[in-house]
Amino acid sequence: MGERAIVMSGIRPTGYLHLGNYFGAMRNYVRLQETYTCFFMVADLHALTTHPDTSALKENVHRVIAENIACGIDPDKAALYCQSHVRETSELYLYLNMLAYLGELEKTTTFKEKARLQPDNVNAGLLTYPVLQTADIILHRATWVPVGKDQEQHLEMARNFVKRFNHRYGEVFPEPAAYNFGDDLVKVPSLDGTGKMSKSENQLATLYLADSDEQIRKKVMKAKTDAGPSAPNTPKPDYIENIFQLLSLVSDKEVVATYESAYNECSIRYGDMKKQLAEDMVRFIAPIREKAEQIRTDHAYLSRIMEQGAEKARASAQKTMDLVRSAMGLDY
Ligand code: TRP
């Protein structure tokens, strides 16, 4: 049997999953689990760097796990687990910290941004966030990391830490790289015509997988439009383009084509188009929400699934840590 390449990715349990997460990540993870050995992790330790209050952590971890399964991650195919359940992560993180320099950590864009946002809590965990992320990835000796553009610097740092480790202690780790989805990487615009859907910003312009039918309808109907084009075949303003883009994600091709022609013939009625979009969004999101909710409230199932994922991840981690300890001469 040929060895499958190893894929690893993580998501912080710090907010509700939204349509951007679905089309930008989740949907592609579901495809990856068919061809690769996949490790998908909920990064609860990373969450502590910005969210020291743990009162909602358990609930958030459960919700993210449930939403992942509802979106199609199969716990029998991928290892779906929680970061803190795999203690080897923390051990590897400690060793890697000795190979990470203050200068390079301080220069990291995400560190500077978070330090600016939380000036009263610029903790060492925040500084070494990319080191912990590297530990997550190389703990499974993964080569592919499906992440967005905002994580590219962290991956570059991971490669540097790997090179340093391998150079000092011997070739243990492959260099991880971003897995590029190419054309499958769909950008999901926000409903207010500015930027993308987001976990924390402009929540009224973002559709979450946990939104009720009423919330979905309300948000969609509020999307910005105008009086419509006044001449045939005029280019669309950004906020109208966005509505078409959203429609193309969840509506039938014929529906999109009908509105395209209506736009080009200046007969489009944005009210009708938004009603259509709202109903198609409800049709798309409601089953995911309901499935996630059913899983989220089934605590026996959840703990069984999380233990199953943790076992797979630990087995892989323990193999790697044996290699690490002996390479480092810590095998006495
Ligand atoms: N830093 C990632 C983010 O903010 C989350 C993450 C943690 C991650 N560990 C990871 C992503 C390992 C990929 C691989 O989105």
Side-chain angles (χ1 to χ4, degrees):
M1 195 180 79
E3 287 278 295
R4 288 176 163 218
I6 298 172
V7 166
M8 195 278 148
S9 195
I11 185 162
R12 277 176 305 153
T14 52
Y16 286 78
L17 296 190
H18 51 75
L19 221 58
N21 296 128
Y22 182 85
F23 287 105
M26 230 72 97
R27 193 178 58 155
N28 294 322
Y29 294 180
V30 171
R31 296 184 187 144
L32 290 175
Q33 69 185 351
E34 304 299 332
T35 8
Y36 297 97
T37 298
C38 290
F39 293 88
F40 297 130
M41 175 205 73
V42 181
D44 58 338
L45 300 175
H46 276 111
L48 295 175
T49 64
T50 49
H51 294 64
D53 177 356
T54 54
S55 52
L57 191 53
K58 191 187 228 172
E59 199 185 312
N60 291 340
V61 168
H62 284 170
R63 200 188 54 244
V64 175
I65 296 270
E67 284 178 332
N68 268 275
I69 300 172
C71 288
I73 300 294
D74 181 345
D76 290 329
K77 289 181 180 156
L80 177 62
Y81 65 101
C82 173
Q83 191 178 28
S84 64
H85 286 179
V86 183
R87 308 288 157 93
E88 287 81 1
T89 307
S90 304
E91 183 187 352
L92 184 55
Y93 167 57
L94 185 144
Y95 299 150
L96 292 175
N97 269 323
M98 316 306 178
L99 298 170
Y101 302 119
L102 180 59
E104 65 188 332
L105 296 171
E106 278 175 334
K107 271 196 323 207
T108 315
T109 310
T110 49
F111 171 70
K112 289 194 283 190
E113 175 65 9
K114 286 173 187 165
R116 192 176 63 77
L117 289 173
Q118 54 182 66
D120 298 329
N121 184 19
V122 186
N123 61 76
L126 204 57
L127 182 71
T128 56
Y129 184 113
V131 184
L132 181 56
Q133 182 164 346
T134 303
D136 293 332
I137 299 165
I138 70 176
L139 192 58
H140 305 299
R141 304 172 76 227
T143 48
W144 295 115
V145 187
V147 283
K149 274 229 168 313
D150 63 323
Q151 296 295 307
E152 263 167 21
Q153 192 179 27
H154 289 172
L155 278 189
E156 193 186 324
M157 295 173 81
R159 283 192 290 276
N160 286 333
F161 300 143
V162 161
K163 279 185 218 150
R164 247 172 253 164
F165 184 99
N166 288 346
H167 184 251
R168 179 167 293 275
Y169 299 115
E171 289 288 324
V172 172
F173 298 112
E175 285 180 30
Y179 187 96
N180 193 335
F181 291 108
D183 289 346
D184 289 338
L185 197 62
V186 184
K187 167 176 164 274
V188 181
S190 75
L191 287 163
D192 61 3
T194 64
K196 297 187 295 176
M197 289 201 180
S198 153
K199 240 174 175 182
S200 46
E201 289 155 51
N202 59 350
Q203 309 204 339
L204 288 175
T206 295
L207 294 170
Y208 297 92
L209 300 180
D211 279 348
S212 69
D213 293 353
E214 271 329 291
Q215 280 170 312
I216 296 168
R217 290 192 182 104
K218 226 162 136 182
K219 287 179 184 179
V220 171
M221 294 315 288
K222 277 212 177 114
K224 178 176 171 180
T225 54
D226 53 28
S230 44
N233 304 312
T234 30
K236 302 183 186 95
D238 285 353
Y239 49 92
I240 297 297
E241 187 64 53
N242 289 351
I243 298 177
F244 273 97
Q245 164 78 8
L246 291 168
L247 201 68
S248 74
L249 292 175
V250 294
S251 304
D252 294 340
K253 277 198 183 66
E254 300 76 57
V255 170
V256 183
T258 308
Y259 284 101
E260 285 284 358
S261 342
Y263 179 87
N264 288 328
E265 292 157 9
C266 301
S267 61
I268 193 158
R269 292 158 59 138
Y270 289 135
D272 291 349
M273 182 180 176
K274 288 199 284 186
K275 264 188 214 140
Q276 173 86 45
L277 178 61
E279 290 322 305
D280 289 340
M281 276 295 171
V282 166
R283 205 161 42 88
F284 184 81
I285 291 176
I288 298 178
R289 179 189 67 224
E290 282 157 19
K291 180 151 190 227
E293 189 57 17
Q294 184 202 332
I295 295 167
R296 198 180 67 80
T297 49
D298 186 346
H299 289 270
Y301 173 75
L302 262 186
S303 21
R304 190 148 38 81
I305 285 310
M306 289 174 77
E307 184 49 33
Q308 180 184 328
E311 272 170 26
K312 284 196 251 183
R314 279 186 213 118
S316 148
Q318 280 159 13
K319 274 197 214 148
T320 303
M321 291 315 289
D322 285 344
L323 295 175
V324 166
R325 289 186 210 105
S326 75
M328 293 181 75
L330 295 167
D331 51 353
Y332 30 81

